[in-house]
Amino acid sequence: MAQWTSAVGAAQLGRLLTSQQDRPAGPGTRRPPAYRALADGIRLLVLEGRVPVAARLPAERELALSLSVSRTTVATAYEALRSEGFLESRRGAGSWTAVPAGNPLPARGLEPLPPEALGSVIDLGCASLPAPEPWLTRAVQGALEELPPYAHTHGDYPAGLPALRSMIAERYTARGIPTMPEQIMVTTGAMGAIDAICHLFAGRGERIAVESPSYANILQLMREAGARLVPVAMGEGLTGWDLDRWRQVLREAAPRLAYVVADFHNPTGALADEDQRRRLVDAARSAGTVLVADETMSELWLDEEVAGARMPRPVCGFDPAGSTVITVGSASKAFWAGMRIGWVRAAPDVIRSLVAARAYADLGTPVLEQLAVNWLFSTGGWQQAVDLRRAQARENRDALVTALHRELPDWEFAVPRGGLTLWVRAGGLSGSRLAEAGERVGVRVPSGPRFGVDGAFEGYVRLPFTVGGAVADEAAARLAAAARLVETGVTGGTEGPRTFVA
């Protein structure tokens, strides 16, 4: 019986392998044999989760034709992978990917580093900051005081606590977008919101237009739901959205959904201006596409020129009735990732459909956490906590930028005016190999292809502003050490990362 659960075609594998471009080797740099380079490339794709474990690989002859190499090269690479534990084979069933005994299975998203590893590894994988105390403690204490009346009920509120729905609606109204509580559903984080939207609007096989690059965990969520992702390229630096291209893609591909992060885009940090937002909504309306606007970063402006009232109107401000735009918000980025409270703003009929479908998913969001967020909104604690969060992120951003300029002067990036991430072109090096080398030297960094579709952005890494001061200096020094390993070809061969964290 075959042990594989999915398959990777020769053309797809070829594209993924071709995307792994390193800086041209200098004098004296070791060049591995062709079979070794192929084996290392497949191993790296497995370790990153870009080729799943238990995925059937193409037959030797098929892959050799696709890559324009000899069948002997492919056969020798497969044999090397088998000897290292990254490939299993059975006569008549083919060959499929594996991981050696003792290695954790690679994940497809950006999971937080396990607490036990925090002492030895600097985590630049997860774009989240510690809780803004004392506001977390105060919010939980306030929630406990409000809990007794709810404890006498069943505790199931599929649309969210009425008090929190009303508070969120009032916050939109205060931003100039009249909103009723009936237009709000409280969810388990932004991920829960987008998962519910995808299941309602985009069944398996439906097209979803996404920015390229885009948030890795959302891309993987959509893949797991069976969506066909249609990438729309972002501009260089912080220039953002090519609206002519968006209009063309929406017209020609006719996607059911489009997903955008217009406020301090993850990972690039770009901020869409009002004209871009208006034109994007108009294009979606004309194409009959539902536009999902993720505004989880909207309150994380860091520079005075985009402060407060100078921020562009929300995307839903150009579609106040919610017939085209569905907005997703969250407490996780602006407050704390451990506060798993998100929300959806949409037309009342869409909210009713989402709530009805929730009966077959998670039923509802934890009451205590909803009460904590409602306490923050109603007491002014939210604003003070977000002010603290901005100060932390600004200080960390400036420290990381200074350290990178010093340690890695040939790496290129634009400094965003808000959000939590730098999108860095890594001086001609492979982001995937940098991520692997980083595991060896004690810095965890996600590679660019995690934020793209089918191998794009191999030359990039994403660096969040989650560390500052001496830790930012040390992180940049370790990244420089990882870059030297990649430049000298040390990351290849049979030895895997010291510890693997996806």
Side-chain angles (χ1 to χ4, degrees), residues 209 232 245-255 257-258 279-280 282-285 287-289 291:
V232 186
R245 177 62 176 155
W246 267 101
R247 187 174 294 278
Q248 178 186 3
V249 168
L250 294 179
R251 182 178 63 248
E252 295 179 357
L257 286 178
R279 293 174 60 193
L280 186 57
D282 289 345
R285 184 181 293 113
T289 297
L291 181 63

Side-chain angles (χ1 to χ4, degrees), residues 43-50 106-108 431-432 435 447 449-450 500:
R43 175 176 59 87
L44 192 59
L45 291 171
V46 173
L47 286 174
E48 281 215 312
R50 292 164 60 201
R108 304 297 296 275
S432 298
S447 65
R450 287 185 175 273
F500 175 74

